[in-house]
Amino acid sequence: MSLRLAVLASGRGSNFAALRQACADGRIDGRVVGLFSDKPGSGAVALAREAGLPAWAESPKAFATREAFDAAMFDAILAVQPDLIVCAGYMRIIGAAAIARFPNRMINIHPSLLPRHPGLHTHQRARDAGDAEHGASVHIVIPELDAGTVLAQARVPVLPGDDAETLAARVLVVEHPLLVACVAAVSRHALALDPPRWQDLPLASPLQLEGDRLVPSPS
Ligand code: GAR
């Protein structure tokens, strides 16, 4: 069964574009059935509209409360009947009530090797902490910020002379294949979310991206 993907994005939309491309060329057995955003002027929304894809984009300022915004967006998301929600650069915290409407079927890509550096400014913080390694994680969304089970990670070195910008660019290169590999694995039933399983075995630690493939962590 082809996976119906709802994608949430707030920014330029490069992860969203990578997902669409992977659906188009068959790496993901699925299709994006809607793009949802809290930033009507974002690149991601423009990309969706250019592609003729249904896009829901509203400013949270138009809603009385955070919960009202989440409720309206999740009404629109559930209306497209997704199998999986993918947060691909969605920069707004999603409240517990909204998450509870679609539990354990929502994933997020985060630009750090969780549990290191949840939240914002991850590249600067990796630099400031003197980390030798940095990267990206795909995790299950739960109400606690960036704290759900980490499904897979991609690692990059931190090099002398790096700043937040050079590090962000190096991480972004691996984010696209990481997110695509995770969604592809879900679409082919190699990766299950509830409970987290890889090839029918409980997922004991995050999978690692090697090239464009996911492999178990060395034990
Ligand atoms: C990506 O680096 C993603 O990991 C990050 O936003 C960027 C979006 O880029 N997400 C977060 O920081 C989530 N807290 P994109 O719009 O080009 O996909």
Side-chain angles (χ1 to χ4, degrees):
M1 189 197 70
S2 175
L3 205 61
R4 294 174 63 83
L5 302 170
V7 179
L8 276 53
S10 308
R12 87 202 119 183
S14 72
N15 278 288
F16 163 56
L19 286 172
R20 285 201 67 241
Q21 181 58 45
C23 291
D25 65 27
R27 281 173 292 155
I28 293 173
D29 180 13
R31 67 192 171 100
V32 179
V33 292
L35 185 277
F36 301 85
S37 185
D38 59 335
K39 292 277 189 285
S42 64
V45 171
L47 284 175
R49 299 236 155 98
E50 276 163 33
L53 205 72
W56 184 97
E58 299 282 351
S59 169
K61 291 195 191 91
F63 294 81
T65 61
R66 172 181 293 278
E67 291 72 28
F69 172 82
D70 280 355
M73 188 172 77
F74 271 71
D75 284 348
I77 293 171
L78 298 187
V80 301
Q81 299 188 302
D83 300 305
L84 183 70
I85 298 177
V86 183
C87 299
Y90 185 66
M91 300 306 288
R92 195 176 167 78
I93 291 173
I94 302 172
I99 294 171
R101 294 175 69 181
F102 206 75
N104 293 317
R105 282 191 290 163
M106 191 172 352
I107 61 175
N108 176 49
I109 185 156
H110 179 77
S112 79
L113 295 174
L114 291 169
R116 286 191 76 68
H117 312 309
L120 297 175
H121 311 302
T122 58
H123 308 301
Q124 188 63 50
R125 285 159 62 205
R127 189 79 201 90
D128 293 348
D131 294 354
E133 217 179 22
H134 186 41
S137 304
V138 171
H139 66 91
I140 297 175
V141 175
I142 62 171
E144 291 73 35
L145 182 67
D146 299 327
T149 300
V150 178
L151 300 169
Q153 295 182 316
R155 295 166 184 276
V156 299
V158 179
L159 301 177
D162 267 335
D163 57 20
E165 209 171 306
T166 57
L167 257 183
R170 192 172 308 123
V171 171
L172 191 67
V173 169
V174 296
E175 283 190 39
H176 299 160
L178 176 67
L179 188 58
V180 165
C182 287
V183 176
V186 172
S187 77
R188 297 185 195 292
H189 307 287
L191 180 61
L193 304 188
D194 192 14
R197 289 173 82 78
W198 171 248
Q199 315 273 21
D200 289 327
L201 293 173
L203 187 66
S205 54
L207 300 163
Q208 302 295 315
L209 187 75
E210 259 186 32
D212 57 6
R213 295 184 51 239
L214 294 176
V215 297
S217 295
S219 47

